Amino acid sequence: METETTDNGTLETWTPQEVRDAFQRNEIVLIDVRTPQEYGFERIEGALLAPMQAFDPDHMPGQSDKHIVFHCGSGVRSEKVARLCLEHGFERVAHLGGGFGAWKDTGMAYTGTDVGSGAPKSMQKTATS
């Protein structure tokens, strides 16, 4: 995990492995800030959807029980949302570095769409080196 101390708090950038491990241990809430269309097509199973275009940090839950980690397609939108949360009083917040693309590139499982039927399908990309 990389950390950056900002004027408003601490921004954490997590690796896909760190996110997966913490998610499996039920230590984090993973929030997808992509569009509903992107989420509908493919997503990390169990991630919640809070699209960036309608995101309001004042309506986010606290982090007393679980840490919040944001993710998007590449890490750009999730970092913007994380910084916005810091500006709204969060002391620390995290996002997935490299986003969903990095998640898939490491070969981790996700839910995609079967192009033949349109049904959800468990998928896994062969990890790149």
Side-chain angles (χ1 to χ4, degrees), residues 3-128:
T3 60
E4 176 188 344
T5 302
T6 72
D7 291 341
N8 300 309
T10 303
L11 174 65
E12 299 175 352
T13 302
W14 291 27
T15 67
Q17 294 83 1
E18 289 168 331
V19 171
R20 181 202 57 209
D21 294 348
F23 201 42
Q24 288 176 343
R25 291 189 305 266
N26 205 25
E27 295 173 351
I28 65 170
V29 175
L30 185 59
I31 299 178
D32 189 332
V33 298
R34 299 175 305 149
T35 66
Q37 294 80 6
E38 290 172 294
Y39 182 87
F41 184 68
E42 58 184 7
R43 64 195 165 277
I44 297 171
E45 189 65 35
L48 304 177
L49 179 64
M52 181 178 169
Q53 72 257 26
F55 187 80
D56 184 347
D58 293 332
H59 295 276
M60 291 300 299
Q63 298 188 86
S64 59
D65 294 330
K66 294 182 182 182
H67 195 59
I68 294 172
V69 179
F70 296 103
H71 90 84
C72 63
S74 67
V76 173
R77 289 175 283 180
S78 60
E79 182 176 342
K80 286 180 182 179
V81 166
R83 289 183 185 279
L84 183 62
C85 286
L86 291 173
E87 291 171 12
H88 280 255
F90 284 63
E91 291 181 19
R92 74 176 234 241
V93 69
H95 81 108
L96 171 58
F100 188 50
W103 179 276
K104 292 191 300 185
D105 285 346
T106 60
M108 293 186 205
Y110 62 96
T111 299
T113 300
D114 182 296
V115 293
S117 68
K121 177 181 177 182
S122 181
M123 304 182 99
Q124 191 169 10
K125 181 178 174 181
T126 303
T128 58

